[in-house]
């Protein structure tokens, strides 16, 4: 048995209450005591860490991550931000079940999960066992992705599925929740999940309700039909009885900015009427996803091959161009290419579609289509979606959990992958003062722990798992920018997961030795 004493710091307990000076005693993998320094035992058999001038918080929880594969690889981007737990399997993408269509599953999910051509687990149980054996840093919790579930059962095809396929999806989801998945996610802007009829979603959400887990959704629309999309999800939660978490709530595109406040009011009204609803958001005005999101998702029936065949047909290409342009809430200058597959197109990374239009001497819509053809659909984008005022309203709302939504790409990732948590605490809470520091910490500790059923994490209280992040509240800041995202943040001093020190600052900022 080993004790660790974190001595005389500013304790943020994860509840949002103002901090108080005190100390924390860890014993093995648990928190043993927390309170005023004078009340703590003075003779302990382990290390004493002086936290004078530093904040002591529960380890941060990234409740919306796409690191399903990278948590197995020991990547350190989240650790360096103070993250000790992640929820993966978001927006309909989980790396299981493979079913009879493992190749289709990889093609469907690789734009978000950034995997190779070999990954895939037959069940939640198999994936979770691999997680337990291999995840070095964050403790990962997994949602069952609806898109993955559908591809496993029926391949990458759209529309209503036969009854036997529906039964199979229902049973597989139920098994996954029994085996330890924490909930179910949909990605209703991504084919083929986008084509699921209402009764399919209701049947699956009823399974979630029966297991008393959470349902998270990347909704059908965040632009012109944002409010209808919220209504659809609220209605689904009401009919099925499941808890509802709206993913990355925002109004996309200048033409829709006025809808942000209306969206928040819709959520509040639903909550008042008895739906257990909350939402998450990342602390950036830009978002990121696959380039094919600009197109109507019906064009992706049959996966990448289906889309490429349609684009090869002049009449269909013309029709898709008209539909894509009509559906856009963005300007072409708002959309930047963030990753491509080929070396030849690497020059497009970091440039927006208006710039590429000039460089290539083509209309922006033709640049979009031709990039998808040249890269066999493997193109990611970064889109400037929101206004600063809307971001503030959403982030600071009491129902908002703050998340990274980060994912890896072969190119230039969104800075949220490297900077979300220091950005929230440094820029959003301390510098802009959009919310008190204690409230910012609640949004990444106690609140997500409660929401996702992590009963022994999220708070500094005796008996909980010893996940602790120590940081300098005056120094903490993200250094990740849109131009240069892969930067380690400043001000994180120590990260402890289950009593183990996984990161200490010396490792962080030590300059490379000069040869
Ligand atoms: Zn999403």
């Amino acid at each position: 048995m080993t004790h660790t004493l974190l001595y005389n710091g500013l304790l943020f307990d994860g509840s949002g209450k103002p901090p108080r000076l005190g100390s924390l005693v860890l014993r093995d993998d648990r928190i043993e005591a927390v309170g005023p320094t004078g009340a703590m035992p003075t003779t302990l058999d382990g290390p004493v860490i002086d936290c004078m001038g530093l904040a002591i918080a529960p380890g941060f929880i990234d409740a919306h991550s796409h690191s399903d594969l990278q948590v197995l690889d020991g990547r350190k981007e989240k650790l360096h931000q103070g993250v000790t737990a992640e929820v993966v399997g978001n927006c309909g993408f989980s790396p299981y079940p493979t079913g009879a269509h493992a190749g289709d599953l990889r093609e469907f999910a690789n734009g978000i999960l950034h995997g190779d051509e070999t990954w895939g687990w037959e069940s939640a149980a198999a994936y979770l066992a691999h997680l337990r054996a291999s995840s070095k840093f964050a403790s990962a919790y997994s949602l069952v992705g609806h898109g993955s579930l559908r591809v496993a059962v029926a391949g990458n095809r759209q529309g209503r599925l036969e009854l036997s396929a529906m039964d199979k999806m229902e049973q597989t989801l139920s098994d996954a929740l029994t085996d330890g998945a924490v909930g179910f996610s949909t990605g209703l802007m991504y084919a083929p999940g986008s084509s699921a009829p209402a009764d399919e979603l209701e049947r699956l959400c009823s399974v979630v309700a029966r297991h008393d887990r959470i349902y998270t959704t990347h909704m059908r629309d965040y632009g012109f039909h944002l409010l209808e999309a919220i209504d659809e999800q609220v209605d689904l939660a009401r009919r099925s009885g499941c808890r509802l978490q709206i993913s990355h709530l925002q109004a996309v595109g200048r033409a829709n900015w006025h809808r942000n406040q209306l969206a928040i009011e819709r959520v509040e009204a639903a909550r008042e009427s008895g739906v257990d609803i909350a939402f998450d958001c990342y602390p950036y005005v830009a978002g990121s996803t696959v380039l094919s999101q600009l197109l109507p998702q019906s064009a992706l029936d049959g996966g990448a091959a289906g889309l490429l065949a349609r684009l090869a047909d002049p009449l269909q290409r013309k029709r898709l161009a008209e539909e894509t342009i009509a559906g856009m809430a963005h300007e072409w200058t708002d959309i930047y290419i963030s990753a491509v597959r080929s070396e030849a197109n690497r020059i497009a990374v970091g440039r927006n579609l208006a710039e590429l239009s000039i460089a290539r001497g083509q209309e922006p819509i033709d640049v979009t289509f031709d990039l998808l053809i040249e890269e066999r659909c493997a193109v990611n984008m970064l889109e400037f979606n929101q206004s600063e005022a809307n971001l503030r309203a959403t982030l600071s709302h009491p129902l908002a959990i703050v998340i990274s939504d980060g994912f890896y790409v072969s190119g230039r990732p969104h800075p949220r992958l490297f900077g979300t948590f220091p950005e929230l605490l440094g820029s959003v809470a301390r510098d802009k003062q959009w919310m008190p520091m204690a409230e910012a910490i609640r949004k990444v500790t106690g609140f997500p722990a409660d929401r996702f059923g992590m009963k022994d994490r999220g708070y500094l209280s005796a008996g909980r798992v010893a996940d602790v992040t120590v940081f300098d509240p005056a120094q903490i800041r993200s250094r990740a920018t849109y131009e240069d995202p892969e930067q380690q943040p400043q001000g994180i001093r120590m990260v402890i997961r289950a009593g183990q020190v996984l990161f200490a600052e010396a490792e962080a900022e030590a300059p490379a030795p000069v040869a």
Side-chain angles (χ1 to χ4, degrees):
M1 155 169 82
T2 316
H3 288 97
T4 304
L5 176 63
L6 296 156
Y7 182 74
N8 222 18
L10 199 54
L11 295 165
F12 289 86
D13 68 3
S15 71
K17 282 195 261 175
R20 57 206 164 107
L21 271 178
S23 297
L24 187 67
V25 180
L26 313 180
R27 178 177 152 187
D28 299 331
D29 66 342
R30 297 276 153 171
I31 295 171
E32 184 168 77
V34 50
T37 299
M40 293 293 126
T42 48
T43 50
L44 287 170
D45 63 343
V48 175
I49 298 158
D50 181 4
C51 295
M52 178 84 93
L54 301 178
I56 304 174
F60 303 149
I61 296 168
D62 187 355
H64 183 136
S65 153
H66 292 291
S67 301
D68 304 58
L69 300 175
Q70 292 78 18
V71 285
L72 301 165
D73 296 342
R75 301 274 311 219
K76 291 189 171 178
E77 287 81 11
K78 298 287 176 66
L79 174 67
H80 288 159
Q81 298 176 61
V83 171
T84 54
E86 298 191 49
V87 180
V88 298
N90 281 285
C91 303
F93 300 94
S94 57
Y96 64 86
T98 44
H101 304 276
D104 285 346
L105 175 65
R106 287 190 284 270
E107 185 194 273
F108 158 71
N110 264 346
I112 301 293
L113 300 187
H114 191 54
D116 57 17
E117 296 308 319
T118 63
W119 60 266
W121 288 265
E122 60 185 7
S123 64
Y127 173 69
L128 294 171
H130 199 150
L131 270 184
R132 277 190 293 275
S134 305
S135 59
K136 288 200 188 79
F137 302 128
S139 306
Y141 295 77
S142 177
L143 303 162
V144 183
H146 169 243
S148 298
L149 186 59
R150 204 172 203 275
V151 170
V153 168
N156 198 341
R157 68 182 154 99
Q158 299 193 14
R160 175 174 295 279
L161 300 179
E162 51 283 13
L163 215 53
S164 60
M166 296 265 283
D167 291 344
K168 183 97 181 20
M169 285 174 72
E170 199 178 66
Q171 187 57 48
T172 307
L173 174 60
S174 183
D175 291 347
L177 297 175
T178 301
D179 290 339
V182 292
F184 173 61
S185 77
T186 55
L188 299 176
M189 281 175 71
Y190 295 102
S194 52
S195 73
D199 58 328
E200 175 180 324
L201 298 176
E202 187 175 338
R203 276 186 71 175
L204 295 171
C205 283
S206 299
V207 175
V208 179
R210 245 186 351 261
H211 286 262
D212 192 23
R213 301 293 159 77
I214 195 162
Y215 165 55
T216 75
T217 180
H218 179 140
M219 300 186 297
R220 204 173 289 286
D221 200 298
Y222 289 83
F224 296 111
H225 303 290
L226 170 63
L227 302 180
E228 295 90 321
I230 294 173
D231 290 346
E232 179 193 2
Q233 295 305 314
V234 167
D235 194 44
L236 182 56
R238 202 171 263 135
R239 281 186 280 116
S240 64
C242 69
R243 284 185 282 139
L244 173 61
Q245 182 79 8
I246 294 178
S247 296
H248 38 62
L249 183 65
Q250 59 187 291
V252 167
R254 191 177 292 271
N256 292 305
W257 284 355
H258 66 287
R259 297 185 210 277
N260 200 71
Q261 185 53 36
L262 300 171
I264 290 174
E265 287 166 12
R266 284 286 222 279
V267 170
E268 289 170 342
R271 188 158 184 99
E272 262 156 46
S273 76
V275 176
D276 188 350
I277 182 174
F279 58 87
D280 65 40
C281 49
Y282 43 78
Y284 295 89
V285 293
S288 188
T289 184
V290 288
L291 184 65
S292 59
Q293 274 290 288
L294 294 179
L295 280 63
Q297 293 299 287
S298 55
L300 276 86
D301 197 4
L307 176 61
L308 296 179
R310 288 179 188 96
L311 290 177
D313 175 69
L315 272 177
Q316 292 200 60
R317 178 172 168 131
K318 184 163 175 292
R319 186 178 53 78
L320 277 177
E322 287 162 7
E323 286 180 27
T324 299
I325 290 169
M328 274 182 65
H330 294 93
E331 307 292 323
W332 294 110
T333 49
D334 293 334
I335 301 166
Y336 287 74
I337 301 302
S338 65
V340 290
R341 192 199 299 258
S342 76
E343 203 50 54
N345 277 326
R346 193 108 326 159
I347 192 162
V349 171
R351 306 176 79 188
N352 68 49
L353 286 170
E355 291 169 338
L356 290 169
S357 158
I358 295 167
R360 291 171 58 126
Q362 289 179 294
E363 289 299 316
I365 188 69
D366 290 315
V367 176
T368 305
F369 287 174
D370 285 354
L371 275 176
L372 288 169
I373 294 167
E374 289 157 21
E375 301 299 315
R376 287 176 289 129
C377 294
V379 190
N380 291 89
M381 64 177 170
L382 189 143
E383 329 142 80
F384 284 84
N385 287 337
Q386 300 193 65
S387 74
E388 182 99 347
N390 282 347
L391 182 65
R392 176 179 185 163
T394 311
L395 276 178
S396 59
H397 194 281
L399 292 177
I401 287 172
V402 178
I403 52 142
S404 78
D405 196 10
F407 62 91
Y408 295 78
V409 296
S410 312
R412 192 184 289 179
H414 191 298
R416 64 194 183 185
L417 179 60
F418 300 84
T420 290
F421 298 83
E423 178 72 11
L424 170 68
L425 301 175
S427 171
V428 171
R430 181 195 59 224
D431 298 344
K432 295 178 185 165
Q433 303 204 327
W434 286 0
M435 66 189 85
M437 186 68 86
E439 173 65 2
I441 290 171
R442 180 186 77 91
K443 288 173 177 296
V444 294
T445 58
F447 189 19
D450 292 345
R451 200 80 191 127
F452 288 85
M454 305 174 187
K455 292 195 173 59
D456 54 0
R457 300 197 132 90
Y459 295 91
L460 296 183
S461 67
R464 296 248 171 184
V465 173
D467 289 355
V468 182
T469 292
V470 179
F471 67 93
D472 183 337
Q475 296 293 324
I476 191 166
R477 82 180 177 96
S478 167
R479 295 164 63 236
T481 61
Y482 293 113
E483 293 74 26
D484 191 7
E486 299 190 33
Q487 296 293 322
Q488 193 172 320
Q490 287 179 345
I492 300 284
R493 292 295 168 84
M494 183 172 278
V495 184
I496 299 171
R497 189 192 62 159
Q500 301 282 320
V501 176
L502 296 182
F503 171 81
E505 192 195 23
E507 184 194 343
E509 323 260 344
V514 179

